[in-house]
Amino acid sequence: NAGVIQTPRHKVTGKGQEATLWCEPISGHSAVFWYRQTIVQGLEFLTYFRNQAPIDDSGMPKERFSAQMPNQSHSTLKIQSTQPQDSAVYLCASSSPTEVFFGKGTRLTVV
Amino acid sequence: GDSVTQTEGLVTLTEGLPVMLNCTYQSTYSPFLFWYVQHLNEAPKLLLKSFTDNKRPEHQGFHATLHKSSSSFHLQKSSAQLSDSALYYCALSPPSSGSWQLIFGSGTQLTVMP
């Protein structure tokens, strides 16, 4: 069990460019979550899927952020027209019936 | 809405001294409470989870007691070790979420000095 896998681990984009972050949840886990981590805000919930269906995206900035889960083995978080304030660590997590497991995150830097 | 408060952003103490990290919460219903620990460049990992039968969870020398009367779930350890230096998050999961959707506090960075 390799755990939740996130790629890339680090990504640098220019202001205004698009960034796509990938997550491979643990096999068999039905729920997948995305969080954003910054020093100032800590861990903020963005969105989650259950059995690939979007359930709650209340934490997502509406205009430039989108998330998809096209199959049970991966989810993507896409940020269009990236801005410096989008710089953060983006964490993906998946859950069994008893526990949530996090990936190591993708550190996004917008320059 | 539901929320978690961790009042200490930074805690520094000497090896061997006791650890207590504060966590209080607000929730409409009786949520599950958690402590997660994150070492540098690593994934957050579950440290403790509250039980519905009020048992005190313990792991790696850490324990926490859920006090519903004061809405608190403070993390304690009798003797800090150098390896305990990490970022600690308190979190809750509302029972209404239907899954383990977590609401986190702002985190406490614990540094243990020799």
Side-chain angles (χ1 to χ4, degrees), chain A residues 9 31 33 35 37 41-43 45 48 50 56 91 95-100 102-104 107, chain B residues 34 36 38 41-46 49 87 89 97-107:
Chain A
R9 290 294 316 280
F33 305 85
Y35 289 86
Q37 184 177 30
Q41 298 293 335
L43 274 165
F45 167 78
Y48 93 93
R50 189 189 306 140
D56 183 349
L91 291 165
S95 69
S96 70
T98 57
E99 188 173 339
V100 177
F102 283 85
K104 291 186 177 182
R107 181 176 296 278
Chain B
F34 306 82
Y36 278 82
Q38 185 179 26
N41 296 323
E42 294 294 320
K45 293 181 181 177
L46 179 65
K49 180 172 74 174
L87 182 56
Y89 285 104
S97 70
S99 68
W100 293 118
Q101 184 175 349
L102 296 167
I103 298 169
F104 287 90
S106 54

Side-chain angles (χ1 to χ4, degrees), chain A residues 1 3-4 25-33 35 48-49 92-103, chain B residues 32-37 43-51 58-60 91 93 97-102 104:
Chain A
N1 185 347
V4 177
I26 294 172
S27 178
H29 284 189
S30 60
V32 173
F33 305 85
Y35 289 86
Y48 93 93
F49 299 84
C92 177
S94 67
S95 69
S96 70
T98 57
E99 188 173 339
V100 177
F101 296 85
F102 283 85
Chain B
F32 288 99
L33 272 295
F34 306 82
W35 277 99
Y36 278 82
V37 58
K45 293 181 181 177
L46 179 65
L47 182 60
L48 293 173
K49 180 172 74 174
S50 65
F51 290 105
E58 296 191 29
H59 185 61
Q60 296 178 350
S93 182
S97 70
S99 68
W100 293 118
Q101 184 175 349
L102 296 167
F104 287 90

Side-chain angles (χ1 to χ4, degrees), chain A residues 12-32:
Chain A
V12 179
T13 64
K15 182 180 174 181
Q17 291 185 327
E18 181 178 287
T20 300
L21 313 180
W22 296 75
C23 170
E24 180 180 333
I26 294 172
S27 178
H29 284 189
S30 60
V32 173

